[in-house]
Every structure is written in C-alpha cells, then in structure tokens.
Amino acid sequence: VILVSFKESVIPLMMPVIIFGGIFSGIFTATEAASVATVYAFIVSVFVYREIKGKDIVRILIDTL
C-alpha cells in the first residue's frame, strides 16, 4: 500500500524539487521558478493525469485573462 501510494505521488512531488532545486542551484530566479512550475503542472495535468481537456484550456485561458 505504501509503495503504491509513493509510486503515484512521485510525479507531483517533483514540483518542489524543480522549484527549490532550480533556485538553490542558481538555474533560475524565484519568478522563473514559478513559471517553470506552472508549465510543469500544466504538462502533468494534460498529459499524465488527463484531467484537463482541450475545451477546458480555452476556458482556463479566458478566466486567467
């Protein structure tokens, strides 16, 4: 049970690693880290978990604007 839960949580848990790793290693600033995290979350939501569909993307962009 624990291994299954860990396996399912590896992809979402990579976001803090990307953010903090990028900032502390000097690869990007905090603002750039936010952008990278947003792109990562989008890719994971669309391609890995398939929670966001094509028609949802347009609505999300309109709401954001």
Side-chain angles (χ1 to χ4, degrees):
V1 175
I2 293 174
L3 290 175
V4 173
S5 296
F6 179 75
K7 181 180 175 186
E8 292 174 358
S9 66
V10 168
I11 293 174
L13 286 174
M14 288 305 295
M15 187 177 295
V17 172
I18 291 170
I19 294 170
F20 292 122
I23 292 171
F24 291 138
S25 67
I27 295 173
F28 39 75
T29 64
T31 304
E32 293 167 341
S35 299
V36 171
T38 303
V39 171
Y40 180 77
F42 176 78
I43 290 170
V44 169
S45 296
V46 172
F47 298 111
V48 176
Y49 291 117
R50 300 176 192 256
E51 293 179 354
I52 299 176
K53 307 293 184 225
K55 63 181 179 179
D56 295 334
I57 294 172
V58 174
R59 184 186 50 80
I60 291 169
L61 291 175
I62 290 172
D63 289 345
T64 301
L65 292 173

